[in-house]
Amino acid sequence: MNKKSIVLLITLSVLNFTVYAKNYEVKLLTTDANGQNMVMSPGYLKISSGDTVTFVPSDPSHNVESLSIPKNAKSFTSKMGKKLSHTFDKNGVYLYKCTPHFALGMLGVIQVGAADNLAIVRKDWSEISTGVAMNKERVSTYLTQVK
Ligand SMILES: [Cu+2]
């Protein structure tokens, strides 16, 4: 292999890395298109390690705060009404909430690659869910989508 093709290969692998790290958006909605109130959209999202999710509040009353996350993963908390872009670099299941609307079931689940910590998240959720008054079944539905 000559020098030129080595340089080309290195350039291509750098480009590949850039292309494959994806950006996603989760909207923090007061009301969605189906009339659901205080809801993350999408509530369940599957991404790959290295991908970035931007959380976008529909108005100043929402934020995100991580609740149950994989061991050694970075926790995240956004300021009320402000966008937050978070890069997920540890595989596993992340359960997070909107701090003011937690009791109304405003929670979401993000799966990053393999879901090795699913049993722990389910156990955490069974304890955390005692503080949720409405729309608990949303989280159960999101967790059944984890594959
Ligand atoms: Cu909220």
Side-chain angles (χ1 to χ4, degrees):
M1 197 182 289
N2 63 29
K3 253 188 195 163
K4 235 182 188 172
S5 27
I6 291 172
V7 170
L8 183 66
L9 269 181
I10 292 170
T11 310
L12 283 176
S13 57
V14 169
L15 283 176
N16 262 344
F17 181 78
T18 314
V19 168
Y20 286 123
K22 294 198 176 104
N23 293 295
Y24 294 86
E25 195 173 281
V26 172
K27 295 188 176 76
L28 322 180
L29 299 176
T30 299
T31 307
D32 74 6
N34 302 316
Q36 289 287 310
N37 293 322
M38 309 306 171
V39 67
M40 307 293 183
S41 180
Y44 166 77
L45 177 65
K46 186 173 183 183
I47 65 173
S48 298
S49 183
D51 289 347
T52 298
V53 177
T54 300
F55 299 95
V56 183
S58 65
D59 64 64
S61 75
H62 306 294
N63 80 332
V64 287
E65 182 180 348
S66 54
L67 281 175
S68 178
I69 63 175
K71 205 178 168 189
N72 301 323
K74 281 179 291 183
S75 64
F76 55 90
T77 306
S78 69
K79 293 198 174 81
M80 294 298 302
K82 300 286 181 207
K83 280 187 192 180
L84 174 77
S85 291
H86 184 81
T87 300
F88 292 80
D89 49 19
K90 285 269 184 298
N91 280 356
V93 179
Y94 295 68
L95 175 68
Y96 65 96
K97 66 177 176 180
C98 168
T99 314
H101 301 124
F102 166 70
L104 302 179
M106 189 165 183
L107 295 103
V109 171
I110 292 174
Q111 177 181 358
V112 183
D116 297 334
N117 65 329
L118 179 59
I120 298 168
V121 172
R122 283 190 179 282
K123 187 177 168 290
D124 287 348
W125 168 239
S126 71
E127 289 160 20
I128 291 165
S129 63
T130 57
V132 177
M134 289 174 70
N135 298 312
K136 272 188 204 195
E137 69 288 350
R138 281 179 189 161
V139 175
S140 316
T141 304
Y142 303 154
L143 289 175
T144 61
Q145 293 173 263
V146 173
K147 295 265 155 38

